[in-house]
Amino acid sequence: MDRLSGRTAIVTGGAKGIGRHYSLALAAEGAEVVIVDVADGKSLAQELEAKYGGNASMSVTCDVSDEFAVQRLVGQVIERFGKIDVLVNNAALYAPLPWHMVTEIDVDTWDKVMAVNLRGPFLMVKHAAPHMIARRYGKIINIGSGTAFRGIPRFLHYVTSKGGIMAFTRALSRELGQHGMGGSVNT
Ligand SMILES: NC(=O)c1ccc[n+]([C@@H]2O[C@H](COP(=O)([O-])OP(=O)(O)OC[C@H]3O[C@@H](n4cnc5c(N)ncnc54)[C@H](O)[C@@H]3O)[C@@H](O)[C@H]2O)c1
């Protein structure tokens, strides 16, 4: 299938875990995939290039909670591919997080979860959306979690951040929809 031929897609947290599968699936549909991660995505990018050709992929090491790093990343993508068609906001602190009661969560961990899981998607949209608005085309997919609906205990920071992603996506779609853009939240 080639449903995304000629499209440029960014996948945050795209080097490992579920994000790796998003990267593989987007490339299989013909998209140019930008793997953005704090982890090294080079070997995955090489795998995609070997399979789909030299322009199939790019890997950038970037912390999505750092505005300067996000700005630089978006600049690199525009320089290489000239546009951003799809943004998958997948990066999050999830697997490495310890499970604790609310009374045991320290403030630094809480702030870090909010920085990566909420500030990250905000910064990615803040800097990618102008390029989408200019072309009146863009798809933004924010990865949520069913934990926000179920209220899973001992994971309050993560569950709260994913509840924020739902609200973020709802308001964002109303704000950006008028510019010809689409968005969704996947749980
Ligand atoms: N695993 C599940 O059961 C599940 C269920 C529902 C939703 N989700 C969501 O799916 C997404 C992926 O989950 P996963 O299980 O693959 O998680 P994971 O923790 O295994 O992977 C997260 C990825 O994000 C990257 N990352 C972490 N911090 C980053 C940062 N500051 N900047 C850039 N990249 C960063 C990691 O290196 C990793 O590649 C997350 O948004 C998670 O909340 C997961």
Side-chain angles (χ1 to χ4, degrees), residues 92-100 109 112-113 117 155 157-159 161:
L93 285 180
Y94 170 67
L97 280 179
W99 294 65
H100 282 311
T109 306
K112 182 80 180 147
V113 173
N117 296 14
F155 218 37
H157 37 20
Y158 176 81
V159 174
S161 74

Side-chain angles (χ1 to χ4, degrees), residues 11-27:
V11 183
T12 70
K16 296 194 308 184
I18 298 172
R20 179 185 160 86
H21 292 279
Y22 294 146
S23 300
L24 288 165
L26 287 161

Side-chain angles (χ1 to χ4, degrees), residues 48-175:
L48 296 181
E49 282 173 11
K51 208 164 172 185
Y52 303 108
N55 217 26
S57 187
M58 170 182 179
S59 114
V60 182
T61 305
C62 169
D63 175 352
V64 294
S65 68
D66 175 345
E67 183 161 28
F68 179 72
V70 168
Q71 252 177 316
R72 192 176 48 195
L73 152 77
V74 168
Q76 286 173 281
V77 177
I78 295 300
E79 196 179 322
R80 167 95 181 256
F81 297 111
K83 62 188 170 52
I84 300 165
D85 296 299
V86 180
L87 166 62
V88 184
N89 272 320
N90 164 77
L93 285 180
Y94 170 67
L97 280 179
W99 294 65
H100 282 311
M101 261 187 77
V102 57
T103 51
E104 293 160 359
I105 295 175
D106 64 76
V107 169
D108 284 350
T109 306
W110 178 276
D111 287 350
K112 182 80 180 147
V113 173
M114 297 305 151
V116 176
N117 296 14
L118 277 177
R119 191 206 297 159
F122 153 65
L123 289 176
M124 288 301 303
V125 172
K126 178 180 174 185
H127 292 287
H131 300 281
M132 295 174 162
I133 291 168
R135 294 175 52 244
R136 290 194 62 76
Y137 184 89
K139 307 289 177 196
I140 298 174
I141 299 148
N142 299 318
I143 305 302
S145 168
T147 59
F149 297 114
R150 294 196 300 278
I152 301 296
R154 299 179 63 85
F155 218 37
L156 197 68
H157 37 20
Y158 176 81
V159 174
T160 303
S161 74
K162 290 298 176 176
I165 282 293
M166 311 289 177
F168 172 74
T169 305
R170 201 172 296 125
L172 191 64
S173 61
R174 293 193 66 195
E175 196 170 315

